[in-house]
Amino acid sequence: MRLGLGISQSLPFKEITDKEWNAILNMAHKQTMLGIVMDAIDRLPDDVSRPPKAISMKLLKMGVNMERYNKIINLKAAEMTSFFNNKGMGTVLLKGQGLAVLYPNPLHRSPGDIDLWVDGDRKILMPICNKELKGEEFTYHHIDVILSDGIELEVHTTPSWMYAYHRNRDLQRMFRKWIKDAKYIELPEGTGRVKVPSDEMNRVYLMVHLYRHVFSEGIGLRQMADYAVFLSKGCTEEDKAIAMEHLKELNMTKFAGAVMYVMKVVFGLEDSCLLTVPDERRGKILLQTILDGGNFGKYDFSIDRSIKKDSAMSFITRNARNFRLIKEYPEEVIWGPAFKLWHFFWRILNRNL
């Protein structure tokens, strides 16, 4: 991963057996990191063994499809940006495609859905999504839309949230400040021009996004890789202090230490790129969760995905699962049930918008 992400330029070994290549690719598939492994193979020193031809050919085919799909998603992200801009609403492209431009090969980041933060009144935005875009589902922070070509669009009314009421209030205040600082970027190969969050926002927002994954659908190396590539750019000591002050306000300094452990041990980031001192104990727990669960926690068998969302059983099992984190992050665990109950009734009250 370090080699494929451009963080490292060498490997500490020369020989990789066919069995080891299969193990590497199985893990890359589990973590949705095959595009990064492809780039790493291209950068291998001449004296390091390559994968078998059959594997190389399979990766080549996957790479072509990944590049094609990334271009389609980028075009669609720019199209939806224009759609809302033409209605007088500002937009900010969150996470995925906006962060992909930081990768050595932006088209080799495994794409997901489009996360578009739209600066508009929910009472105006929801009817637009429901009637014009055929919105399918809505939550406190986004409206799910399946576009005509099958691409998933999440129209965000806010980038993220916290379970604890007072922390969420502070986070939403931060977002309202940061939306004014969004900046324009060009997507790869002339596919469009969009706004993305400022670096100040991303230092905090991407951490909050990781936090939400830990408490909901699970977390994998792809989400961590996004943050690693972003942090590898480096920043000033003042920038770090500002970020940590915000994270302290959100009661996330302990989680930040765990994430920095993963950034250092897995991705090899220099201390100068880290926001705070790594927390080895919490970091090891987080890393084990990542390795066990894979992308979006699909291999985490403590999450029963056969249970219908918003059901009583889902409420019980997911809160029980989160309770294992009570020692590390007690406030968010304790507030979780209250937020979910509030959210259940909030959705009922807002379903006719």
Side-chain angles (χ1 to χ4, degrees):
M1 286 192 301
R2 296 179 186 183
L3 193 62
L5 292 170
I7 295 172
S8 173
Q9 304 301 321
S10 62
L11 289 176
F13 44 81
K14 303 295 182 183
E15 184 67 27
I16 306 175
T17 67
D18 290 359
K19 183 178 180 180
E20 288 168 339
W21 273 118
N22 282 318
I24 289 170
L25 294 171
N26 284 337
M27 179 173 280
H29 173 73
K30 180 178 177 180
Q31 299 288 347
T32 321
M33 297 287 286
L34 283 167
I36 307 308
V37 171
M38 281 189 284
D39 288 342
I41 292 171
D42 288 340
R43 296 189 180 92
L44 284 175
D46 293 337
D47 57 349
V48 176
S49 56
R50 264 57 177 175
K53 186 176 180 180
I55 291 178
S56 296
M57 294 304 295
K58 184 178 180 180
L59 285 173
L60 181 62
K61 182 178 179 180
M62 291 179 63
V64 171
N65 290 333
M66 189 180 295
E67 290 171 8
R68 178 184 60 82
Y69 193 56
N70 264 310
K71 291 175 185 177
I72 292 172
I73 290 184
N74 285 338
L75 285 168
K76 189 61 67 173
E79 179 184 322
M80 296 315 302
T81 292
S82 297
F83 173 84
F84 286 107
N85 289 168
N86 290 337
K87 294 183 180 297
M89 299 178 182
T91 58
V92 181
L93 184 63
L94 302 169
K95 302 181 296 181
Q97 302 307 112
L99 290 174
V101 299
L102 302 177
Y103 280 61
N105 188 338
L107 299 181
H108 280 182
R109 179 192 178 274
S110 293
D113 53 18
I114 299 170
D115 293 274
L116 196 64
W117 180 18
V118 180
D119 186 18
D121 189 295
R122 187 190 299 274
K123 293 181 178 179
I124 298 174
L125 187 57
M126 285 183 65
I128 291 174
C129 292
N130 292 336
K131 295 174 183 177
E132 298 187 44
L133 299 177
K134 309 298 181 185
E136 296 194 345
E137 188 74 25
F138 74 95
T139 66
Y140 166 71
H141 76 295
H142 74 247
I143 304 159
D144 285 331
V145 173
I146 304 297
L147 301 175
S148 57
D149 44 14
I151 292 175
E152 296 181 24
L153 168 69
E154 290 187 356
V155 179
H156 283 255
T157 52
T158 180
S160 194
W161 75 101
M162 303 287 286
Y163 286 156
Y165 171 80
H166 54 304
R167 308 296 182 187
N168 188 52
R169 178 196 59 207
D170 293 340
L171 179 63
Q172 301 312 315
R173 173 179 50 78
M174 293 176 194
F175 286 146
R176 298 317 308 168
K177 169 183 174 289
W178 285 327
I179 197 169
K180 301 171 185 176
D181 301 327
K183 57 186 179 182
Y184 279 105
I185 62 164
E186 297 288 339
L187 292 173
E189 301 194 9
T191 45
R193 190 167 183 257
V194 296
K195 270 189 174 181
V196 297
S198 65
D199 286 352
E200 180 182 333
M201 174 175 162
N202 264 340
R203 285 185 198 102
V204 177
Y205 163 60
L206 294 176
M207 183 81 76
V208 173
H209 177 62
L210 296 175
Y211 201 48
R212 292 273 55 86
H213 269 276
V214 169
F215 283 95
S216 55
E217 55 203 340
I219 188 171
L221 284 175
R222 185 179 68 162
Q223 291 80 32
M224 286 287 174
D226 283 347
Y227 202 31
V229 171
F230 171 74
L231 289 181
S232 69
K233 297 193 307 176
C235 62
T236 67
E237 292 301 316
E238 182 182 1
D239 291 333
K240 294 178 189 179
I242 292 171
M244 290 308 300
E245 188 61 34
H246 288 315
L247 291 170
K248 181 180 179 181
E249 193 173 353
L250 299 174
N251 195 27
M252 286 183 60
T253 54
K254 292 178 181 178
F255 183 71
V259 172
M260 292 306 110
Y261 174 84
V262 176
M263 294 294 109
K264 184 176 179 67
V265 171
V266 176
F267 295 97
L269 291 193
E270 299 291 338
D271 289 345
S272 59
C273 295
L274 304 180
L275 298 181
T276 189
V277 177
D279 183 327
E280 182 176 358
R281 185 182 70 82
R282 291 185 176 85
K284 285 182 175 179
I285 294 172
L286 176 61
L287 180 55
Q288 195 60 54
T289 300
I290 292 168
L291 296 177
D292 290 343
N295 191 49
F296 285 105
K298 291 178 181 176
Y299 300 88
D300 184 346
F301 298 110
S302 68
I303 304 175
D304 189 344
R305 299 179 189 275
S306 66
I307 298 174
K308 183 181 178 182
K309 286 185 177 181
D310 296 328
S311 66
M313 185 56 69
S314 175
F315 175 82
I316 292 169
T317 56
R318 287 181 180 259
N319 280 303
R321 174 180 173 271
N322 286 344
F323 196 78
R324 78 197 196 285
L325 298 170
I326 187 73
K327 184 178 179 180
E328 277 66 46
Y329 315 111
E331 183 179 74
E332 200 72 354
V333 172
I334 292 169
W335 272 93
F339 178 91
K340 290 177 181 180
L341 281 172
W342 169 84
H343 189 237
F344 175 79
F345 290 108
W346 178 89
R347 290 182 68 187
I348 292 174
L349 292 172
N350 286 275
R351 63 188 173 188
N352 293 323
L353 286 179

